Amino acid sequence: MRIPFGPFEPDKSPFNSTVSRYVVNALPVADGWGPMPGLSTITQSLPGKCRGGVYVRTASGTYNIIAGTETGLYLLNTTDYSWTDISGPSAPYSVPLQDAWTFTRFGDKLIAHNISDPIQVYDIGGADPFGDLAGSPPRAKYSWVSGDFLVLGYLEGTVGQKTVQWSGINDIEHWTPKKKGSDYQELPEGDEVMGGFGEQGGFYVIQRAGMQYFPFSPSSGYTFTRTVLNPKQGTVAPRSIVSIGPGLFFYLSEDGFFGGADRKPIGAERVDRWFLENVDRAYLSDVQGAADPFEKIVWWKFRQADGSSRRIGYDWQLDRWCTTDLDVDEMVALATPDLSWDGLDTLYASIEDVAEPFDSRLFSGGRPTFATFTSDNKLAYFSGDNLAATIDTADVEIDGMARSFVNGARVQTDAADYTLTDGTRPHNGAAVTWGTASTMNRAGMVPLRSDGRLHKFRFQTPAGADWSVVSSVNVSAQQSGQQ
């Protein structure tokens, strides 16, 4: 009997034989599961906990990585992988606990800001540090670019929480309303602004209890007009909003994960209940999302009741979910920095110590990738050795009318280093009893000895194992009696 290692959908009924209720540290692939890479730490420590990061491409084609802490802004030096302080004269900054740095590129300028400090501006490719943005712009939590305008959302002050304001056309130093196209709009419904992003011909605004679209409408006499897309539902976690393309974005709402303004459910009856049972609801607003552009997965990091962090991921290409127990800090979608020979010498003591293959994205400047900051504030890419993975099948009745004795199984995988364990139940609702983990013999079979009405098979690989796919287990069993 062939039993698949199905999609991770713990909200499904335990009687559903096509899904798995337990998968850790494995990535979905078209016909099963594949390995999940661990971390490769590449930098020295930031002076403090990372509160936001970004990469920018200069006019010369080099890629720079910038990160912010509560009090400063820093540029990664790829000669010795230290962090150079490029804070402006308003430093030390004071990023609030429930806020983070927002980075937005506008032409050859990088905007960095939070709700407490003056908006900062940095000349990309220049040698000068950040400075205060001229023109007296309001302080704001969020920003994005829409056409020729820089848009700010959630402004300082009580009324500002429900307000968006945009700059003059092609002039981020002009903030006088009604001049050069600059203006503002207080939103009468939907509660506070939680984020937004530019779209062709306008921009989206996501609120706590609503969504709006602002089309560019100069013929109307206004720069932008307003259309309510969803009058009642938005997001509870501003940093959970992840845009991956025109009109395509994902976010966490009060009742689970959704995509787009029409709230297409992506987690309903699959992972929503599992997530809400595992997240510390006191920190629901702190859930942070980021896209891994290489794997096509949106990851959300959340805090558990014991204080540790965990991640759940959605593969938007395969419409599949995954999880990891790897505890990480701030997540960032980056490009790999340009690596010099001096930088390679800094990372590794000798050529034998290089863990990654030489065609790794880590060594190719400008390749889109996914990174995080570790607990000791070092930047690390998800390009290390494969993590130890655990993948369960569903509980399956091999014989619908009788108990079954399993004497062996053959796993459909290219892994050579793995174990397989059979868990049995005497009937639905009973606790599972796990047998002894067994390895593959020379004939490619895993010998097992287990008896039960329901069987569940657990595939496990150790950290560092070399493999690419596991899809199913073919079980050798025989009827062992009625019950």
Side-chain angles (χ1 to χ4, degrees):
M1 181 178 185
R2 178 182 177 275
I3 303 173
F5 290 102
F8 175 66
E9 296 184 359
D11 290 358
K12 290 280 176 66
S13 162
F15 310 119
N16 190 322
S17 63
T18 64
V19 301
S20 173
R21 298 171 60 83
Y22 190 81
V23 178
V24 179
N25 296 336
L27 294 178
V29 296
D31 51 358
W33 292 94
M36 181 180 293
L39 296 178
S40 289
T41 302
I42 69 165
T43 73
Q44 299 181 36
S45 296
L46 271 173
K49 179 181 174 70
C50 179
R51 302 291 293 278
V54 70
Y55 77 91
V56 290
R57 185 178 187 274
T58 68
S60 63
T62 60
Y63 289 82
N64 293 334
I65 293 175
I66 295 171
T69 67
E70 179 186 353
T71 58
L73 291 162
Y74 301 88
L75 174 69
L76 179 62
N77 183 331
T78 55
T79 299
D80 62 0
Y81 283 85
S82 63
W83 295 93
T84 301
D85 192 335
I86 55 172
S87 303
S90 291
Y93 308 113
S94 183
V95 182
L97 185 62
Q98 300 300 320
D99 198 6
W101 284 103
T102 293
F103 295 96
T104 301
R105 180 168 186 164
F106 191 96
D108 60 357
K109 305 293 184 183
L110 179 66
I111 310 301
H113 61 96
N114 61 82
I115 194 65
S116 294
D117 297 299
I119 293 180
Q120 302 293 286
V121 61
Y122 177 71
D123 186 6
I124 296 171
D128 295 331
F130 277 92
D132 293 355
L133 180 61
S136 300
R139 300 182 186 194
K141 276 193 176 184
Y142 316 114
S143 65
W144 54 91
V145 173
S146 179
D148 297 321
F149 300 88
L150 176 65
V151 186
L152 304 177
Y154 195 114
L155 312 184
E156 55 188 332
T158 303
V159 175
Q161 295 178 8
K162 299 173 63 175
T163 301
V164 293
Q165 183 170 346
W166 50 91
S167 68
I169 186 169
N170 265 326
D171 188 352
I172 61 174
E173 297 182 353
H174 182 91
W175 295 92
T176 304
K178 313 299 181 183
K179 296 182 181 295
K180 297 182 66 174
S182 179
D183 211 339
Y184 67 92
Q185 173 70 62
E186 181 185 348
L187 306 177
E189 71 281 285
D191 295 335
E192 71 266 36
V193 174
M194 304 292 267
F197 49 90
E199 186 65 270
Q200 184 175 5
F203 61 87
Y204 285 94
V205 177
I206 314 300
Q207 299 167 262
R208 178 176 293 277
M211 298 184 192
Q212 319 232 4
Y213 181 67
F214 283 70
F216 182 55
S217 307
S219 60
S220 68
Y222 299 94
T223 307
F224 296 96
T225 56
R226 181 171 70 96
T227 301
V228 177
L229 299 177
N230 192 317
K232 295 186 179 296
Q233 296 165 314
T235 181
V236 294
R239 301 192 74 201
S240 74
I241 305 168
V242 180
S243 173
I244 62 169
L248 189 55
F249 58 97
F250 303 102
Y251 53 93
L252 173 65
S253 201
E254 190 75 48
D255 51 346
F257 293 98
F258 295 86
D262 58 352
R263 279 176 52 91
K264 176 185 176 183
I266 59 172
E269 295 303 315
R270 297 204 282 178
V271 300
D272 284 348
R273 286 196 300 274
W274 178 91
F275 171 78
L276 293 172
E277 288 169 0
N278 282 274
V279 67
D280 186 338
R281 296 203 185 201
Y283 293 87
L284 197 61
S285 61
D286 292 343
V287 173
Q288 183 211 353
D292 181 340
F294 186 79
E295 297 290 352
K296 299 179 178 63
I297 294 176
V298 176
W299 287 101
W300 286 278
K301 177 174 69 73
F302 61 95
R303 179 182 170 117
Q304 301 183 109
D306 63 1
S308 65
S309 69
R310 187 169 183 174
R311 290 181 297 139
I312 183 170
Y314 175 67
D315 187 316
W316 69 80
Q317 180 173 259
L318 298 177
D319 189 28
R320 294 262 303 276
W321 288 90
C322 54
T323 64
T324 174
D325 58 7
L326 183 65
D327 195 348
V328 299
D329 213 315
E330 183 79 8
M331 301 185 302
V332 281
L334 295 178
T336 51
D338 294 283
L339 185 66
S340 66
W341 284 108
D342 289 336
L344 188 64
D345 186 58
T346 301
L347 288 177
Y348 305 102
S350 68
I351 200 71
E352 290 79 13
D353 293 326
V354 180
E356 290 81 6
F358 286 101
D359 60 353
S360 168
R361 286 171 289 153
L362 179 61
F363 304 131
S364 303
R367 297 291 300 279
T369 191
F370 189 52
T372 186
F373 282 82
T374 60
S375 59
D376 55 357
N377 305 321
K378 296 179 179 180
L379 180 63
Y381 288 100
F382 290 92
S383 60
D385 290 339
N386 293 332
L387 297 173
T390 301
I391 308 168
D392 286 2
T393 67
D395 289 288
V396 176
E397 287 188 88
I398 296 176
D399 187 313
M401 299 303 295
R403 296 168 63 93
S404 298
F405 176 77
V406 172
N407 56 27
R410 188 185 300 275
V411 182
Q412 301 302 306
T413 182
D414 61 354
D417 187 6
Y418 70 87
T419 62
L420 189 71
T421 311
D422 187 5
T424 60
R425 301 179 197 264
H427 55 81
N428 286 317
V432 63
T433 299
W434 290 101
T436 302
S438 300
T439 59
M440 177 178 61
N441 61 26
R442 288 184 297 176
M445 290 289 292
V446 178
L448 299 169
R449 294 185 62 84
S450 56
D451 185 271
R453 180 172 291 277
L454 293 102
H455 294 259
K456 168 187 287 190
F457 297 90
R458 172 166 289 178
F459 172 86
Q460 291 179 292
T461 61
D466 184 19
W467 62 292
S468 65
V469 65
V470 60
S471 59
S472 62
V473 54
N474 290 334
V475 179
S476 174
Q478 62 189 33
Q479 189 179 103
S480 63
Q482 201 83 10
Q483 180 174 337

